Amino acid sequence: MRAKGLRLGKYSVGTGDRFAHQAKSQLQACFNALRSGVEIIPVWNKSNREHTIIGSEPASTREAADAAVRALGWQLPYFVDADHVGLQTVDRFLPACDFYTIDVADFIGKPASPDDVDRFVKKHADLVGRLALRGIDEPLSISDADLRQTAGKFLFAVKTAGEVYRKIESAKGAGNFVPEVSMDETDRAQNPAELLIILAAIADEEIPIQTVAPKFSGRFNKGVDYVGDVAQFEREFAQDVAAIEYAVRRFELPENLKLSVHSGSDKFSIYPAIHGALTRFDAGVHLKTAGTTWLEELIGLAESGGRGLALAKEIYAEAFAHREVLCGPYATVIDIDPARLPAPAEVQLWTSERYTSALRHVPGSPAYNGSLRQLLHVGFKIAAKMGPRYLELLEANESVIARNVIENLYDRHIVPVFFGKQDSREVVAKGNA
């Protein structure tokens, strides 16, 4: 089962653009990488929930991406992702998208039929034992109980993914889209042995996935740094990469299959570990939601001063007033300390520099406020309700916003993950050497 037709490149970034105004700036960051010698494929992603909140349709994401590609003359592939879709939500994405993140996290743990589990365990009995993975010192150990238990927990979810895949395939045609299976929005991380067994089940379902999004250990909160044991993540990420390499050979999955790191924005502390594994195994990765573009819009508005700063302050005040409602849908992926949230009256007195310093995620900056950043991250609904008033200011301050979007995506995300550098000036120096 090899990837036929559309093929996702080795390195890719998934970029959200909630208001469909920053596609050109996001693409410029990929151009900057290309000029420095690394090909990174852009994937514009937007979920059904985001479209519903904004009041947009997937066609708007496609139009923005196509317009950016035409404007900049991008000659490489690019994709538009139907983010976190299932059987009930995929239909609205079919005309516009060519990348589908099939999310089956809600089906993990739902029991598969005993006959299905028995057949799977019998078919893959040769996974039991100690499996040597290239580049990993300790063999992967799977017992009979591990195989049966993992099948019982994940087989129904994988079969559901197969239903969604076939629905997309019937509409788009085989090879005309990139499929991803996502299992990250669940309560417990999947270990490398479980990932290998899940991949066997995906192969049995004949889903030619090109990316897979497991849940990693630690917390991947929205728009802020990784919270967890970095050394443990480094070990597990390398084992996952090795497990995928093994699965590609063993189950004849697409040879470009790679990990997808969801909520990958601003996970600065684990970027060296990711880059190290990519180098060590010559592997690819899909860094999804790389750079929180909506927050860069707010930063750009605040930096512009005047009406832009006033609107940024108003959005914070409204988000503060409605924080419980805004945070509810994201409760599992944010950690906000209410004591760290400044009163709106205080923020009203802030200068542009004070506002942007609190919101902009610069590691080590004493002014940075992660709780404020997370609240504003989920506060895009406030801007959506403003409608034209917000969009007109985006357009009026395009240049300053674009600069922030490009710098954030390229300098803080692309450079450390794909170049293994902490400063884009090192990349330029290397390129000019």
Side-chain angles (χ1 to χ4, degrees):
M1 187 198 333
R2 299 306 185 192
K4 298 177 181 178
L6 291 182
R7 181 185 175 92
L8 186 64
K10 183 176 181 178
Y11 301 140
S12 53
V13 291
T15 58
D17 187 9
R18 289 188 167 123
F19 297 98
H21 274 61
Q22 309 310 326
K24 191 162 73 170
S25 300
Q26 293 166 330
L27 186 57
Q28 183 62 56
C30 294
F31 251 121
N32 291 354
L34 187 62
R35 288 168 181 157
S36 295
V38 175
E39 180 180 304
I40 300 171
I41 301 304
V43 181
W44 282 276
N45 49 259
K46 196 168 180 180
S47 69
N48 188 67
R49 177 168 61 187
E50 289 168 340
H51 279 298
T52 301
I53 291 172
I54 298 293
S56 58
E57 289 293 334
S60 64
T61 309
R62 166 61 66 185
E63 290 163 5
D66 289 348
V69 165
R70 287 193 302 269
L72 296 183
W74 180 257
Q75 299 296 316
L76 297 174
Y78 66 101
F79 298 88
V80 174
D81 178 11
D83 191 14
H84 288 286
V85 292
L87 283 172
Q88 305 306 315
T89 56
V90 71
D91 286 341
R92 74 187 297 196
F93 293 90
L94 293 174
C97 295
D98 49 13
F99 187 120
Y100 290 81
T101 299
I102 302 171
D103 186 346
V104 292
D106 289 344
F107 299 96
I108 294 173
K110 292 193 175 183
S113 75
D115 287 346
D116 284 342
V117 173
D118 286 343
R119 277 193 294 270
F120 179 85
V121 169
K122 183 178 180 180
K123 180 177 181 179
H124 296 287
D126 55 351
L127 288 176
V128 173
R130 291 167 64 82
L131 303 176
L133 303 181
R134 185 182 73 86
I136 302 298
D137 293 335
E138 183 68 22
L140 206 61
S141 181
I142 299 176
S143 67
D144 288 302
D146 292 333
L147 183 61
R148 182 168 291 276
Q149 183 177 12
T150 304
K153 183 173 182 179
F154 292 99
L155 203 55
F156 185 86
V158 173
K159 287 186 173 295
T160 301
E163 292 178 35
V164 181
Y165 170 77
R166 285 184 286 276
K167 184 173 185 178
I168 302 166
E169 185 185 54
S170 68
K172 306 288 291 186
N176 292 326
F177 62 98
V178 172
E180 171 179 301
V181 170
S182 165
M183 295 186 170
D184 66 304
E185 295 190 355
T186 187
D187 58 344
R188 189 180 68 82
Q190 294 108 40
N191 63 45
E194 288 173 325
L195 177 61
L196 182 60
I197 295 168
I198 290 166
L199 290 173
I202 290 173
D204 288 352
E205 277 296 305
E206 298 185 350
I207 310 172
I209 57 168
Q210 298 187 38
T211 63
V212 61
K215 181 177 177 65
F216 302 102
S217 62
R219 284 187 66 85
F220 284 71
N221 291 332
K222 296 289 186 180
V224 294
D225 207 348
Y226 173 79
V227 179
D229 185 332
V230 174
Q232 180 183 351
F233 172 85
E234 185 171 17
R235 289 192 300 273
E236 291 175 354
F237 190 85
Q239 290 171 339
D240 283 344
V241 172
I244 286 176
E245 182 183 82
Y246 181 91
V248 166
R249 296 195 310 270
R250 183 74 168 265
F251 310 125
E252 296 188 342
L253 286 162
E255 58 190 15
N256 64 326
L257 174 59
K258 60 184 180 176
L259 284 171
S260 179
V261 182
H262 282 206
S263 294
S265 181
D266 294 61
K267 302 303 179 284
F268 302 130
S269 61
I270 60 171
Y271 285 172
I274 293 174
H275 178 77
L278 302 187
T279 303
R280 177 177 166 188
F281 291 94
D282 190 23
V285 73
H286 182 52
L287 186 70
K288 191 158 188 175
T289 57
T292 304
T293 297
W294 138 249
L295 293 182
E296 296 307 314
E297 289 179 340
L298 271 187
I299 288 169
L301 289 176
E303 197 173 88
S304 69
R307 292 172 57 215
L309 177 59
L311 190 74
K313 291 177 179 178
E314 181 183 343
I315 289 171
Y316 176 76
E318 287 294 309
F320 185 91
H322 299 93
R323 57 191 181 276
E324 290 185 6
V325 173
L326 294 172
C327 293
Y330 298 92
T332 60
V333 286
I334 54 174
D335 282 317
I336 294 175
D337 179 359
R340 291 276 295 147
L341 295 176
E346 177 187 343
V347 174
Q348 191 61 37
L349 301 175
W350 283 3
T351 63
S352 290
E353 183 179 0
R354 179 73 184 279
Y355 190 106
T356 58
S357 296
L359 181 54
R360 183 181 284 122
H361 190 179
V362 177
S365 169
Y368 166 65
N369 186 326
S371 291
L372 175 142
R373 182 175 172 87
Q374 289 178 86
L375 176 60
L376 285 172
H377 187 290
V378 301
F380 66 95
K381 188 175 184 178
I382 304 299
K385 287 183 176 179
M386 292 177 171
R389 189 157 69 97
Y390 179 73
L391 299 180
E392 286 167 5
L393 277 177
L394 289 188
E395 291 162 9
N397 297 281
E398 179 182 359
S399 60
V400 64
I401 291 171
R403 174 173 50 77
N404 279 284
V405 171
I406 295 167
E407 288 179 358
N408 179 55
L409 181 54
Y410 182 68
D411 291 356
R412 299 190 189 97
H413 294 83
I414 287 175
V415 166
V417 171
F418 299 103
F419 289 90
K421 307 294 182 182
Q422 295 305 309
D423 189 326
S424 60
R425 289 172 296 184
E426 296 179 62
V427 175
V428 172
K430 182 179 179 182
N432 292 336

